[in-house]
């Protein structure tokens, strides 16, 4: 569930068509903010849930549960021993909207007006917990919290569980929904957000010479990972293979990234997949559209893969899903390898002179890649790389 589509198919169609999901924030609370645009999921989520589900969850949980149900149905609702069925859903901020909402209620109306669902709505682990309850997963409900790398790290953890023999099936991915004044103001204060309020759809421009920051967005991206022989035994449609993953920590700064570790995480993921750099035919870059971040990642990609491998970043259209971003990148990669259609980077009017990469400025069909890498980096020095191969 993304700002460009309420389902995987809708999101893919919008990305291939180059449609942006970024729009102005028209609410009164946003008018005093330095940044007044974001990417919102435009689906009526309440209509997809029961009334008790809707009331008991933060929007973060709403998005994750709806996306997980779509993934589960698409996977054919695989039969698995409940104790070998697990959930790993990462989030950077969890139910922050509820935290702010209920704090306002407490301040204005007193403690008796605070919702009895407050505690379970604000838990960062709530999306994983609700999905585990929904499918009866008793093999673990985990929640990696690693900022914007959370969703990618969740997929890495899920793959590790299956390879270690701890699970046969794992529902995995990432979610965040925190389009509010606090988060927008915080990112604006460190000049991480674009200020192109007059033209929201052109604001997110990864690798472009005139980029000035990322665009806040919400969404959930969820996959079903399954042990290969388990999937083949039931005749499942296999969309792709998580061939190798890596997770590293920079150990340098709470905000600034270390390009050496960005290189290292890609190298480790490629090695874990049993591949070489020459086997990678496509990159979904983290590329948020910040002036420094894009340049550092471009240097890392070139150092590992050279400057000929095609590179894209769909944040140009969806905005930055924070904890959901890395999982969305994995889904985009899976779809691209399976179909040969790769969405291009929107708003790439003039690539930055200092970025020497094979950037895809428009959708490409017939791309012959058999393996690709999806990057995700987060505050705190969190780095995750996922190597995906075709089935």
């Amino acid at each position: 569930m993304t700002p460009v589509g309420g389902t995987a198919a809708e999101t893919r169609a919008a990305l291939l068509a180059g449609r942006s999901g970024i729009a102005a924030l028209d609410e009164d609370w946003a008018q005093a903010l330095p940044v007044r645009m974001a990417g919102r999921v435009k689906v009526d989520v309440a209509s997809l849930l029961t009334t008790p589900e809707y009331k008991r969850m933060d929007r973060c949980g709403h998005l994750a549960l709806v996306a997980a149900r779509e993934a589960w149905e698409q996977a054919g609702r695989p039969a698995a021993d409940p104790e070998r069925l697990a959930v790993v859903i990462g989030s950077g901020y969890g139910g922050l909207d509820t935290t702010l909402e209920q704090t306002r209620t407490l301040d204005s109306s007193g403690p008796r007006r605070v919702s009895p669902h407050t505690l379970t709505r604000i838990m960062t682990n709530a999306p994983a917990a609700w999905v585990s309850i929904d499918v009866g997963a008793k093999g673990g409900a985990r929640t990696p919290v690693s900022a914007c790398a959370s969703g990618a790290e969740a997929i890495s953890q899920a793959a590790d569980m299956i390879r270690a023999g701890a699970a046969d099936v794992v529902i995995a991915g990432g979610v965040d929904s925190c389009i509010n004044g606090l988060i927008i103001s915080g990112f604006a204060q460190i000049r991480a957000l674009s200020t192109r309020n007059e033209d929201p759809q052109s604001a997110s421009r990864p690798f472009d010479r005139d980029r000035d920051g990322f665009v806040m967005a919400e969404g959930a991206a969820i996959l079903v990972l399954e042990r290969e022989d388990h999937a083949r035994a039931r005749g499942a449609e296999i969309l792709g293979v998580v061939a190798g993953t890596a997770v590293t920590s920079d150990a340098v700064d709470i905000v600034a990234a270390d390009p050496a570790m960005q290189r290292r995480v890609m190298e480790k993921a490629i090695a874990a997949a049993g591949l070489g750099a020459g086997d990678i035919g496509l990159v979904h870059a983290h590329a948020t559209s910040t002036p420094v971040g894009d340049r550092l990642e471009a240097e890392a990609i070139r150092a590992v893969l050279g400057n000929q491998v095609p590179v894209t970043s769909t944040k140009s259209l969806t905005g930055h899903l924070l904890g959901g971003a890395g999982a969305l990148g994995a889904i985009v990669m899976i779809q691209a390898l399976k179909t040969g259609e790769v969405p291009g980077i929107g708003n790439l009017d003039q690539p930055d002179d200092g970025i020497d990469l094979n950037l895809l400025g428009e959708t490409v069909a017939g791309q012959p890649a058999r393996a690709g890498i999806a990057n995700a980096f987060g505050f705190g020095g969190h780095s995750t790389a996922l190597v995906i191969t075709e089935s």
Side-chain angles (χ1 to χ4, degrees), residues 206-211 348-355 357 359:
F207 300 121
D208 188 77
R209 180 184 60 189
D210 296 326
R211 67 191 183 280
L348 187 62
D349 297 334
Q350 179 63 51
D352 192 321
D353 292 338
I355 293 175
L357 293 175
L359 302 173

Side-chain angles (χ1 to χ4, degrees), residues 140-186:
R142 302 181 180 182
T143 303
V145 180
S146 47
C148 303
S150 299
E153 189 167 331
I155 294 171
S156 179
Q157 285 191 19
D160 287 345
M161 290 180 73
I162 291 173
R163 292 193 179 99
D168 297 324
V169 181
V170 185
I171 299 172
V175 63
D176 257 317
S177 177
C178 47
I179 298 173
N180 56 61
L182 179 64
I183 288 294
I184 291 175
S185 297

Side-chain angles (χ1 to χ4, degrees), residues 6-296:
T7 66
E10 290 174 2
T11 294
R12 177 172 179 269
L15 294 177
L16 292 175
R19 292 197 296 272
S20 173
I22 310 305
L25 294 172
D26 297 325
E27 295 89 343
D28 290 342
W29 61 262
Q31 299 317 299
L33 298 177
V35 174
R36 298 178 297 279
M37 59 185 165
R40 279 182 164 147
V41 173
K42 299 172 180 65
V43 175
D44 179 11
V45 179
S47 67
L48 303 176
L49 299 167
T50 66
T51 299
E53 287 171 341
Y54 188 76
K55 288 183 176 180
R56 295 176 72 186
M57 299 179 199
D58 181 86
R59 184 168 174 82
C60 192
H62 298 159
L63 299 177
L65 185 58
V66 173
R69 284 175 173 169
E70 181 196 351
W72 192 240
E73 288 297 327
Q74 192 278 333
R77 302 178 63 86
D81 178 346
E83 294 191 5
R84 296 188 60 77
L85 171 61
V87 177
V88 188
I89 297 178
S91 183
Y93 292 95
L96 185 58
D97 280 349
T98 293
T99 301
L100 297 174
E101 168 196 291
Q102 293 303 310
T103 298
R104 289 191 293 268
T105 298
L106 175 64
D107 291 343
S108 64
S109 304
R112 293 186 179 275
R113 301 300 297 175
V114 171
S115 169
H117 302 304
T118 297
L119 297 181
T120 51
R121 288 174 66 184
I122 68 176
M123 299 188 312
T124 309
N125 61 300
W130 280 114
V131 172
S132 73
I133 292 166
D134 198 53
V135 300
K138 299 182 178 181
R142 302 181 180 182
T143 303
V145 180
S146 47
C148 303
S150 299
E153 189 167 331
I155 294 171
S156 179
Q157 285 191 19
D160 287 345
M161 290 180 73
I162 291 173
R163 292 193 179 99
D168 297 324
V169 181
V170 185
I171 299 172
V175 63
D176 257 317
S177 177
C178 47
I179 298 173
N180 56 61
L182 179 64
I183 288 294
I184 291 175
S185 297
F187 277 116
Q189 284 291 88
I190 60 171
R191 300 182 180 179
L193 296 181
S194 172
T195 57
R196 291 172 179 258
N197 294 304
E198 72 287 350
D199 188 7
Q201 295 197 348
S202 75
S204 183
R205 37 199 323 114
F207 300 121
D208 188 77
R209 180 184 60 189
D210 296 326
R211 67 191 183 280
D212 68 330
F214 74 86
V215 176
M216 183 70 62
E218 65 174 1
I222 310 292
L223 307 87
V224 176
L225 279 70
E226 187 170 359
R227 203 180 75 236
E228 183 178 5
D229 60 342
H230 192 277
R232 294 196 183 281
R234 68 181 182 87
E237 178 189 9
I238 299 173
L239 303 178
V241 178
V242 181
T245 73
V247 176
T248 64
S249 50
D250 292 1
V252 170
D253 188 85
I254 199 68
V255 174
D258 181 357
M261 291 310 295
Q262 292 185 353
R263 295 194 298 271
R264 185 65 181 136
V265 77
M266 286 189 280
E267 291 169 344
K268 287 169 66 90
I270 293 168
L275 301 176
D279 297 311
I280 302 299
L282 181 64
V283 177
H284 188 283
H286 183 66
T288 61
S289 186
T290 60
V292 174
D294 286 8
R295 177 178 54 78
L296 292 179

Side-chain angles (χ1 to χ4, degrees), residues 336 339-342 363-369:
T339 66
E341 293 180 297
V342 184
T363 292
V364 175
Q367 185 68 34

